[in-house]
Amino acid sequence: MKKVISLILTLLLVVSSLLFSISVSAASKSAETDSVYAVSVDSPLWKEADSAEELRELAYVPESALCGKSTEELLKAVLEYPLIFDIYAYNDYETAINRLSVHCTALNLFLNRRDAKETINSFMQRNNAVESINAPECIKDTASATLEILNDYINSCSVTDSRATIYVQTPNGSNVQVFQYTELSQSEINRLNALARATYPQAQYVSTATQKYNCHSFAWYKSNTSNTYWMNDPSLYMSDGSYTSTSYISSASKVHYPSDKHSANVYDATGNSISNALVKSKWGAGPLMIHKVHYCPYSGGVTLWHRS
């Protein structure tokens, strides 16, 4: 009888030990892979949201939840940010990072850490460091490029290669400066296309990512994918009398986002309401998209313009 009891106790100890090991292993795995974000671009809630404001609310993490994180943990949280595509959606990376830091708490905190520069350098030098981030593949695939952008920003380096400066004219003859930039690699183009479509699933993809032209050039100069000019400032189109400000929306309207320096063409003026309208716009170096006015990387009020 004593032998039976001893055998039972031994078995219980073995089972208990195995269960404890499994529990510890699961907890360790969870600790390694848990993201600070409750949703990802793959989540049903993300795909159902129909405005950028809703997407930002879903991706929001309060400062109190991040203050105790190390600088490297903050960097990972930046790379995992569900709206990280927005860093590629502006006409220059400095503006993009400044705008993104308003919505991405992790980025704002990271940029204010004294050891941010050393941390990003150390992270970039480690083999396969990007593999440690917990994010969908479309975000992970662009993480190395995002790191380069952040590194150049922190070191105040230019990240855009300019080949030539040219001028085009507004309808009233004012000279507007434009640029011709080197094209992205095919792998970079593919990654940006995939990331834009995953980040904004309710927007309609029209044409490929490219650094040949941007939103202003497409909206004001040449609304065609054969366009090869990048325009940083379209203000002369609105100030020299070529276009007139209006409150009436039509399929011929131009849409300007003053605070985020973005431009678009009205694609569908259904209901004669800006909130219901669809616009077509180029998202930085990303793809050309059709979307609701406020379902895009750009925020703030908009102005409408018609050809004078």
Side-chain angles (χ1 to χ4, degrees):
M1 184 67 179
K2 288 182 178 180
K3 289 184 177 180
V4 173
I5 294 174
S6 176
L7 179 60
I8 292 172
L9 289 173
T10 300
L11 289 172
L12 287 173
L13 285 171
V14 171
V15 171
S16 176
S17 177
L18 285 172
L19 290 173
F20 177 77
S21 297
I22 292 170
S23 175
V24 169
S25 176
S28 175
K29 184 176 181 181
S30 176
E32 291 174 358
T33 60
D34 279 352
S35 172
V36 298
Y37 302 103
V39 298
S40 75
V41 296
D42 293 332
S43 305
L45 280 175
W46 190 270
K47 295 176 181 179
E48 293 168 5
D50 63 1
S51 71
E53 183 178 0
E54 286 186 51
L55 295 178
R56 289 173 187 139
E57 288 176 358
L58 288 172
Y60 177 71
V61 176
E63 187 174 321
S64 59
L66 296 171
C67 282
K69 301 286 186 182
S70 68
T71 306
E72 182 169 312
E73 287 173 325
L74 287 177
L75 176 58
K76 287 184 179 181
V78 174
L79 298 176
E80 295 170 2
Y81 186 51
L83 286 165
I84 195 61
F85 166 77
D86 291 5
I87 207 170
Y88 299 93
Y90 287 79
N91 296 309
D92 63 85
Y93 292 126
E94 182 177 0
T95 299
I97 290 174
N98 289 336
R99 296 302 295 157
L100 192 64
S101 65
V102 174
H103 307 295
C104 180
T105 314
L107 178 57
N108 184 48
L109 292 174
F110 174 75
L111 293 175
N112 283 286
R113 288 288 178 90
R114 291 183 177 180
D115 60 340
K117 184 175 181 179
E118 293 75 13
T119 299
I120 200 168
N121 285 337
S122 173
F123 192 84
M124 292 175 71
Q125 289 171 9
R126 292 208 308 271
N127 291 331
N128 301 320
V130 166
E131 292 303 314
S132 67
I133 71 170
N134 182 31
E137 285 304 311
C138 62
I139 290 179
K140 188 177 289 189
D141 285 346
T142 57
S144 294
T146 303
L147 278 168
E148 292 286 352
I149 292 169
L150 290 171
N151 185 56
D152 286 341
Y153 176 85
I154 289 174
N155 288 286
S156 300
C157 298
S158 173
V159 293
T160 306
D161 176 27
S162 175
R163 282 187 171 178
T165 300
I166 306 166
Y167 291 91
V168 297
Q169 291 188 324
T170 69
N172 282 356
S174 298
N175 288 328
V176 178
Q177 189 178 46
V178 293
F179 304 89
Q180 288 187 310
Y181 293 143
T182 54
E183 181 58 297
L184 304 168
S185 69
Q186 190 58 54
S187 60
E188 289 173 322
I189 288 171
N190 294 341
R191 287 194 290 266
L192 283 180
N193 285 338
L195 184 55
R197 297 169 86 165
T199 306
Y200 293 92
Q202 292 198 30
Q204 179 184 337
Y205 171 87
V206 178
S207 186
T208 186
T210 176
Q211 201 163 250
K212 289 183 179 179
Y213 68 98
N214 67 337
C215 65
H216 299 318
S217 184
F218 181 83
W220 301 98
Y221 167 65
K222 185 179 183 181
S223 301
N224 191 291
T225 57
S226 64
N227 190 338
T228 59
Y229 293 146
W230 188 284
M231 182 186 296
N232 286 333
D233 183 7
S235 59
L236 282 172
Y237 284 86
M238 294 169 273
S239 64
D240 77 347
S242 294
Y243 286 81
T244 303
S245 178
T246 181
S247 59
Y248 176 76
I249 186 170
S250 75
S251 58
S253 300
K254 307 290 184 183
V255 181
H256 189 232
Y257 298 66
S259 62
D260 273 2
K261 301 177 181 178
H262 182 65
S263 297
N265 288 335
V266 171
Y267 176 77
D268 185 346
T270 300
N272 295 322
S273 167
I274 193 68
S275 60
N276 294 327
L278 293 176
V279 299
K280 182 186 289 187
S281 70
K282 179 72 163 48
W283 291 359
L288 182 66
M289 305 289 276
I290 293 173
H291 56 95
K292 289 184 178 179
V293 171
H294 294 299
Y295 186 80
C296 61
Y298 318 100
S299 56
V302 299
T303 55
L304 293 172
W305 297 83
H306 285 177
R307 179 75 173 88
S308 299

